[in-house]
Amino acid sequence: MICSTLRRVGHVHIYLVRKASGVSKGHHQQTVGSRPAASEFAARGASGNVLELLGKSYPQDNYSNLSRKVLSRVGRNLHNQQHHPLWLIKERVKEHFYQQYVGRFGTPLFSVYDDLSPVVTTWQNFDSLLIPADHPSRKKGDNYYVNGTHMLRAHTSAHQWDLLRAGLDAFLVVGDVYRRDQIDSQHYPVFHQLEGVRLFSKHELFTGIKDGESLQLFEQSSRSAYKQETHTMEATKLLEFDLKQTLTRLVTHLFGDGLDIRWVDCYFPFTHPSFEMEINFHGEWLEVLGCGVMEQQLVNSAGAQDQIGWAFGLGLERLAMILYDIPDIRLFWSEDERFLKQFRVSDINQKVKFQPLSKYPAVINDISFWLPSENYTENDFYDLVRTIGGDLVEKVELIDKFEHPKTTKLNLGAGRCSYLEHQDFTFPGHTRQATATESPTATWRGPCPRERSGVSTRLCRRLPCSCWVWRADFDGTAWTRLQPLGTSGFVREKRILFVG
């Protein structure tokens, strides 16, 4: 990991690879029942110190860290776009729960909420779920904050307390969630979760159990690895059995019979005991969801003191990539007809195998830069790359570090030593190689850092030297843009890709 308190040179690989041709067009389709796309508001950006998002205004402060890239995704609601692969997964899960769990009057036991606003309070996202104030999941470097009191939800669990407070005891929540993360084919700053919650009264849990009338939900004892201090062992084991049976039926519905399943003990702040489900799919064990017995303190605070319950959460992209053999998470944002038409099926349970859109291989480019001495996280750079490079960039990988042996202070407004080895790259999703005029490239001139101080000799090991000096605008929180400085010293002209 990069140490943010030292002046280092981060040397990373940037992979420019295939994607569907519509991914980065910025067009947002508003679906029936969905909120207006954020791009309608975000196109204006923050007006003064106020950000307009989904029809509401939010004051900005030093916690605000939303990037243009992320704002352009708010309101897209891929899970509600008919025949989108994420919509197919959502509908299959809904169908299963509607058919398998029916209430007293023949209506579905579980209600579904798939259009709740992704803008929540920090209390909803953290405090309502008993996440401690010093928990690392609250870090600004890992979340997208609108301001100090509001944020883009990091999980659909942010709505759990409100729905319990409203008197619901069985529900599914589906929506887009936002986390600052690394850049590779498995991670994206926006993805989609499906959350399930069910509460049981004493009568509901013990009905059909021998001598069930004598069993109790609650007791005062000590917490162990197997149960909470307020739950009886009988209630915990029955709840755990019902939870695992429910989820086993669900994944069997999705993947078919004969599936090998195993449960792994884990930790979540809002459930205990907690588990992860792994399935053996094509000879490989894959984690597909997390679950557990809900913390009674959470249930009590929402007004359901006489009930206990379980909760689970799964990622729609994770399931879709496994089920449909989709290799890259960025493809879910594609508007390329060649991608979307593969999922227009008459039956949501029909098997689909994704067919690649391009035959061209990935292209690797290198870039290096000086780090600021403070207020830096790796996710700052990932956000910058995603904002400038868009969905062309599949992966950013740290391959080298360099600490200046002499410099004790770094001027954040000064030039940063950067180089980017040029290669023609493929427009993802296209059927031919991009030409020079089509590639988003530019010709810059810049001084070679080798000729200035010799400090960057290590970075210039690929001769002839291909280095440029760049200027970065750093506002103390994140980089806003990069631009090349003027020419001086040893000058070599070379066409390079400007990814930020």
Side-chain angles (χ1 to χ4, degrees):
M1 300 295 291
I2 301 177
C3 179
S4 61
T5 60
L6 297 175
R7 274 69 63 192
R8 294 179 182 272
V9 173
H11 183 192
V12 299
H13 272 325
I14 296 183
Y15 297 77
L16 302 164
V17 300
R18 301 183 299 275
K19 68 172 178 62
S21 60
V23 168
S24 59
K25 291 180 180 178
H27 172 72
H28 308 298
Q29 177 182 352
Q30 183 176 342
T31 59
V32 176
S34 66
R35 289 179 170 80
S39 56
E40 298 175 20
F41 308 99
R44 297 192 299 271
S47 177
N49 293 321
V50 175
L51 173 70
E52 291 187 25
L53 186 60
L54 298 176
K56 294 185 178 181
S57 298
Y58 299 92
Q60 303 290 276
D61 56 28
N62 59 1
Y63 247 79
S64 307
N65 65 347
L66 299 181
S67 66
R68 294 195 312 272
K69 179 72 172 181
V70 167
L71 284 173
S72 72
R73 298 311 194 207
V74 179
R76 287 283 298 276
N77 295 327
L78 299 183
H79 60 287
N80 287 335
Q81 295 182 16
Q82 193 170 19
H83 296 298
H84 190 280
L86 300 183
W87 176 86
L88 291 177
I89 298 294
K90 182 194 76 170
E91 291 301 309
R92 293 186 66 186
V93 174
K94 281 175 53 180
E95 177 189 64
H96 172 76
F97 276 90
Y98 282 174
Q99 292 178 353
Q100 294 293 319
Y101 307 96
V102 180
R104 288 181 298 172
F105 305 106
T107 56
L109 180 65
F110 284 81
S111 52
V112 178
Y113 300 87
D114 59 8
D115 62 351
L116 300 176
S117 173
V119 182
V120 298
T121 64
T122 53
W123 187 90
Q124 289 175 299
N125 198 80
F126 299 119
D127 300 273
S128 72
L129 297 169
L130 311 179
I131 298 175
D134 59 350
H135 196 274
S137 66
R138 291 177 179 255
K139 289 192 303 184
K140 183 178 176 182
D142 293 336
N143 298 283
Y144 288 105
Y145 283 90
V146 178
N147 53 37
T149 59
H150 289 79
M151 63 186 297
L152 297 179
R153 63 189 170 207
H155 40 215
T156 49
S157 303
H159 304 286
Q160 195 176 102
W161 190 92
D162 293 305
L163 294 175
L164 292 174
R165 188 69 173 177
L168 299 175
D169 56 12
F171 56 84
L172 304 176
V173 180
V174 193
D176 45 339
V177 298
Y178 300 78
R179 296 180 192 173
R180 303 180 73 190
D181 213 334
Q182 64 198 75
I183 298 178
D184 59 38
S185 62
Q186 304 294 316
H187 295 86
Y188 201 78
V190 191
F191 57 103
H192 298 75
Q193 281 188 343
L194 186 148
E195 173 112 354
V197 169
R198 186 176 182 185
L199 298 183
F200 293 82
S201 65
K202 175 183 174 180
H203 172 73
E204 290 170 328
L205 188 62
F206 295 134
T207 294
I209 303 299
K210 184 179 179 180
D211 299 326
E213 300 83 1
S214 63
L215 299 177
Q216 301 296 322
L217 294 178
F218 305 109
E219 67 177 11
Q220 288 300 323
S221 61
S222 58
R223 177 174 290 238
S224 70
Y226 307 103
K227 74 178 199 69
Q228 299 174 37
E229 59 272 23
T230 57
H231 292 168
T232 64
M233 184 63 75
E234 295 84 2
T236 299
K237 289 303 179 182
L238 281 173
L239 203 60
E240 180 182 328
F241 175 79
D242 185 85
L243 169 62
K244 292 181 177 180
Q245 187 179 55
T246 298
L247 296 177
T248 298
R249 289 184 185 135
L250 173 60
V251 297
T252 299
H253 170 71
L254 294 174
F255 290 90
D257 295 326
L259 194 66
D260 288 332
I261 295 173
R262 69 183 183 190
W263 299 92
V264 180
D265 294 338
C266 65
Y267 167 79
F268 301 116
F270 34 87
T271 57
H272 180 77
S274 303
F275 315 95
E276 289 178 343
M277 174 194 275
E278 295 183 351
I279 63 172
N280 192 311
F281 192 70
H282 295 327
E284 181 180 1
W285 285 101
L286 303 173
E287 176 201 335
V288 291
L289 57 84
C291 61
V293 176
M294 297 177 66
E295 284 284 356
Q296 194 60 37
Q297 181 183 345
L298 189 162
V299 177
N300 292 348
S301 68
Q305 298 90 335
D306 59 343
Q307 295 174 291
I308 63 174
W310 51 247
F312 74 88
L314 56 84
L316 295 183
E317 281 88 348
R318 176 70 165 163
L319 289 180
M321 293 176 79
I322 297 171
L323 283 168
Y324 303 138
D325 202 21
I326 298 174
D328 196 305
I329 195 170
R330 295 168 302 153
L331 285 164
F332 292 108
W333 296 93
S334 173
E335 293 175 334
D336 192 311
E337 183 64 18
R338 293 170 300 166
F339 173 77
L340 297 174
K341 71 180 181 182
Q342 296 185 41
F343 302 94
R344 294 197 184 104
V345 292
S346 57
D347 181 358
I348 60 174
N349 294 305
Q350 179 178 329
K351 291 186 177 180
V352 178
K353 180 177 175 60
F354 169 70
Q355 300 299 317
L357 307 181
S358 176
K359 64 181 180 180
Y360 294 109
V363 171
I364 300 174
N365 286 274
D366 294 338
I367 184 172
S368 60
F369 48 91
W370 294 108
L371 295 182
S373 58
E374 58 186 12
N375 296 326
Y376 169 81
T377 67
E378 289 184 48
N379 287 335
D380 292 334
F381 180 66
Y382 296 148
D383 274 349
L384 178 67
V385 171
R386 282 190 168 112
T387 297
I388 303 299
D391 288 336
L392 286 172
V393 183
E394 177 200 25
K395 182 179 181 181
V396 174
E397 179 184 21
L398 178 66
I399 61 173
D400 199 6
K401 299 179 183 179
F402 174 70
E403 183 176 353
H404 197 299
K406 299 179 180 179
T407 303
T408 59
K409 186 176 180 180
L410 177 65
N411 186 339
L412 298 181
R416 303 180 193 280
C417 302
S418 301
Y419 73 86
L420 200 63
E421 184 176 87
H422 168 70
Q423 297 182 42
D424 285 327
F425 63 91
T426 302
F427 267 123
H430 283 229
T431 56
R432 59 181 176 80
Q433 199 80 0
T435 65
T437 56
E438 292 170 328
S439 302
T441 59
T443 300
W444 306 111
R445 293 173 179 265
C448 173
R450 293 178 68 244
E451 300 299 315
R452 300 174 65 205
S453 64
V455 173
S456 297
T457 302
R458 186 179 179 190
L459 298 177
C460 299
R461 56 184 177 269
R462 299 189 185 186
L463 299 176
C465 177
S466 46
C467 294
W468 287 262
V469 171
W470 297 66
R471 172 187 172 86
D473 292 333
F474 187 78
D475 61 8
T477 302
W479 290 313
T480 55
R481 64 186 178 124
L482 293 173
Q483 61 184 10
L485 295 176
T487 62
S488 63
F490 175 80
V491 178
R492 173 180 173 82
E493 186 169 327
K494 189 175 184 182
R495 195 163 66 88
I496 62 172
L497 174 65
F498 178 38
V499 298

